Amino acid sequence: MKKLIISLLIIYQSVFAFSIQYYKRQLIHTNQEQREVARFISHNASKYNLKYTFLAIAFKESQWGRFKLNLADPSAGLFHKLLSYYAIELGLKPNQWNMSRVAERLINNNAESFMAALNDFQKAYNYFRIRGYNKRLAWRYAIQAYNAGVSNYRAGKKYYREIVKIIKALKQLGY
């Protein structure tokens, strides 16, 4: 039994390390434009002590600006902000016309995309801090909520694990 547990732990660690290697390969193969976007995110997120968090989220969502539009959600921008929610935040009715205008703003303006994502993240973080969670758990749950909302715990947990892997890859590469 002890050998089985040890072998399962080794397999789990190797799969986890492999996925970090996968992200490291992806990060190494970014183009100049993506690296400029990463510098922009790094500079702005450092002011809020969220450098690696936002670099990882932006890489997961848009590969640092390579894919700024997702019609399946629909979402847009570096951090893939949901268009209907952003339209409502801006005081617009979430119809097709307004969502197209909002998508254009998020795609063309990285600063607006960053501020929209920061606003969402800080709202979620503060929500969990008010409920008594420590900083580490509030950060974790804010990442989960960023992708899946507060109610879809299972999808958020998977997203959080991916973000942590990307953060580890970023740190190993010296970003």
Side-chain angles (χ1 to χ4, degrees):
M1 184 67 165
K2 193 174 190 178
K3 289 181 182 179
L4 176 66
I5 292 172
I6 291 171
S7 61
L8 287 174
L9 284 172
I10 291 170
I11 290 170
Y12 177 77
Q13 286 178 338
S14 65
V15 168
F16 189 76
F18 172 75
S19 60
I20 292 172
Q21 294 301 322
Y22 168 75
Y23 284 117
K24 281 174 70 174
R25 280 193 303 277
Q26 281 190 317
L27 289 163
I28 288 169
H29 289 34
T30 55
N31 61 35
Q32 183 61 32
E33 188 175 324
Q34 287 173 294
R35 286 188 291 274
E36 288 175 18
V37 169
R39 278 190 287 278
F40 166 80
I41 294 168
S42 179
H43 173 73
N44 288 298
S46 293
K47 298 173 187 174
Y48 303 94
N49 201 21
L50 292 169
K51 173 184 170 180
Y52 288 109
T53 303
F54 273 75
L55 281 171
I57 290 172
F59 190 78
K60 176 75 175 157
E61 295 294 339
S62 71
Q63 288 192 3
W64 292 337
R66 186 171 175 203
F67 305 106
K68 286 187 177 182
L69 181 64
N70 182 356
L71 295 176
D73 290 332
S75 61
L78 294 176
F79 300 91
H80 278 242
K81 174 78 172 166
L82 290 174
L83 299 177
S84 57
Y85 291 139
Y86 195 51
I88 292 168
E89 286 177 17
L90 295 175
L92 303 170
K93 187 176 179 180
N95 57 32
Q96 291 296 328
W97 169 253
N98 287 334
M99 287 173 39
S100 295
R101 290 174 44 207
V102 167
E104 185 178 4
R105 288 174 63 169
L106 291 171
I107 290 169
N108 293 331
N109 190 339
N110 289 342
E112 183 170 357
S113 183
F114 174 79
M115 291 310 295
L118 179 65
N119 186 36
D120 282 354
F121 187 84
Q122 286 180 328
K123 280 182 190 175
Y125 180 81
N126 291 336
Y127 171 85
F128 291 110
R129 287 292 290 158
I130 287 170
R131 275 146 188 79
Y133 293 97
N134 64 32
K135 291 179 182 180
R136 177 77 177 152
L137 277 176
W139 174 78
R140 175 186 178 157
Y141 292 149
I143 290 172
Q144 290 178 206
Y146 184 83
N147 177 255
V150 179
S151 60
N152 193 349
Y153 180 76
R154 188 169 293 173
K157 192 172 180 181
K158 181 181 176 189
Y159 184 80
Y160 168 76
R161 281 191 231 121
E162 293 295 314
I163 295 299
V164 168
K165 291 173 193 174
I166 296 170
I167 289 172
K168 287 184 179 189
L170 287 165
K171 288 181 177 180
Q172 287 177 10
L173 292 172
Y175 271 87

Short mmCIF file of all heavy atoms in Angstrom, two decimals, residues 8-9 31 58 60 65 80 102 104 114 126 138 146:
data_model
loop_
_atom_site.label_atom_id
_atom_site.label_comp_id
_atom_site.label_asym_id
_atom_site.label_seq_id
_atom_site.Cartn_x
_atom_site.Cartn_y
_atom_site.Cartn_z
N LEU A 8 1.90 6.85 -6.78
CA LEU A 8 0.88 7.81 -7.19
C LEU A 8 1.34 9.25 -6.99
O LEU A 8 1.08 10.12 -7.83
CB LEU A 8 -0.43 7.56 -6.44
CG LEU A 8 -1.22 6.33 -6.85
CD1 LEU A 8 -2.41 6.11 -5.93
CD2 LEU A 8 -1.68 6.43 -8.30
N LEU A 9 2.02 9.52 -5.89
CA LEU A 9 2.56 10.86 -5.64
C LEU A 9 3.61 11.23 -6.69
O LEU A 9 3.64 12.36 -7.18
CB LEU A 9 3.16 10.95 -4.24
CG LEU A 9 2.16 11.07 -3.10
CD1 LEU A 9 2.88 10.96 -1.75
CD2 LEU A 9 1.39 12.36 -3.19
N ASN A 31 6.03 36.00 -29.35
CA ASN A 31 6.65 36.94 -30.28
C ASN A 31 6.89 38.30 -29.59
O ASN A 31 6.52 38.50 -28.43
CB ASN A 31 5.79 37.10 -31.54
CG ASN A 31 4.41 37.64 -31.26
OD1 ASN A 31 4.22 38.46 -30.37
ND2 ASN A 31 3.43 37.17 -32.03
N ALA A 58 -3.69 36.82 -18.10
CA ALA A 58 -3.67 37.32 -19.48
C ALA A 58 -3.10 36.28 -20.44
O ALA A 58 -3.54 36.17 -21.58
CB ALA A 58 -2.88 38.61 -19.57
N LYS A 60 -3.27 32.97 -20.01
CA LYS A 60 -4.29 31.92 -20.11
C LYS A 60 -5.45 32.37 -20.98
O LYS A 60 -5.96 31.61 -21.81
CB LYS A 60 -4.78 31.55 -18.71
CG LYS A 60 -5.90 30.55 -18.67
CD LYS A 60 -5.40 29.18 -18.96
CE LYS A 60 -6.54 28.17 -18.79
NZ LYS A 60 -6.28 26.97 -19.54
N GLY A 65 -2.49 38.85 -25.62
CA GLY A 65 -2.99 39.65 -26.73
C GLY A 65 -3.02 38.97 -28.08
O GLY A 65 -3.44 39.56 -29.05
N HIS A 80 -10.03 38.79 -21.44
CA HIS A 80 -11.32 38.22 -21.88
C HIS A 80 -12.46 38.55 -20.93
O HIS A 80 -13.07 37.68 -20.31
CB HIS A 80 -11.19 36.71 -22.10
CG HIS A 80 -10.61 36.41 -23.43
ND1 HIS A 80 -11.28 35.72 -24.39
CD2 HIS A 80 -9.42 36.71 -23.97
CE1 HIS A 80 -10.53 35.61 -25.48
NE2 HIS A 80 -9.38 36.21 -25.23
N VAL A 102 -18.39 47.60 -27.04
CA VAL A 102 -17.58 47.28 -25.88
C VAL A 102 -16.41 46.37 -26.28
O VAL A 102 -15.28 46.55 -25.82
CB VAL A 102 -18.46 46.62 -24.78
CG1 VAL A 102 -17.63 45.99 -23.70
CG2 VAL A 102 -19.41 47.65 -24.20
N GLU A 104 -14.92 46.23 -29.14
CA GLU A 104 -13.95 47.05 -29.86
C GLU A 104 -13.08 47.84 -28.87
O GLU A 104 -11.86 47.92 -29.05
CB GLU A 104 -14.68 48.00 -30.81
CG GLU A 104 -13.75 48.80 -31.67
CD GLU A 104 -14.51 49.70 -32.65
OE1 GLU A 104 -15.75 49.74 -32.61
OE2 GLU A 104 -13.83 50.35 -33.45
N PHE A 114 -7.06 46.10 -18.99
CA PHE A 114 -6.39 45.84 -17.71
C PHE A 114 -7.23 46.36 -16.55
O PHE A 114 -7.42 45.67 -15.56
CB PHE A 114 -5.00 46.49 -17.69
CG PHE A 114 -4.32 46.40 -16.36
CD1 PHE A 114 -3.71 45.23 -15.96
CD2 PHE A 114 -4.33 47.47 -15.48
CE1 PHE A 114 -3.11 45.12 -14.71
CE2 PHE A 114 -3.75 47.38 -14.24
CZ PHE A 114 -3.13 46.20 -13.85
N ASN A 126 -12.05 41.38 -2.45
CA ASN A 126 -12.68 42.07 -1.31
C ASN A 126 -13.89 41.30 -0.80
O ASN A 126 -14.15 41.26 0.41
CB ASN A 126 -13.05 43.50 -1.68
CG ASN A 126 -11.83 44.37 -1.88
OD1 ASN A 126 -10.76 44.10 -1.34
ND2 ASN A 126 -11.98 45.41 -2.67
N ALA A 138 -8.39 34.27 -0.09
CA ALA A 138 -9.14 35.27 -0.85
C ALA A 138 -8.56 35.43 -2.25
O ALA A 138 -9.29 35.55 -3.22
CB ALA A 138 -9.14 36.61 -0.11
N TYR A 146 -12.83 34.78 -10.98
CA TYR A 146 -12.56 35.54 -12.20
C TYR A 146 -12.98 34.76 -13.42
O TYR A 146 -13.53 35.30 -14.37
CB TYR A 146 -11.07 35.90 -12.31
CG TYR A 146 -10.80 36.77 -13.52
CD1 TYR A 146 -11.01 38.13 -13.44
CD2 TYR A 146 -10.43 36.23 -14.74
CE1 TYR A 146 -10.82 38.94 -14.55
CE2 TYR A 146 -10.24 37.02 -15.85
CZ TYR A 146 -10.44 38.37 -15.75
OH TYR A 146 -10.27 39.17 -16.86
#
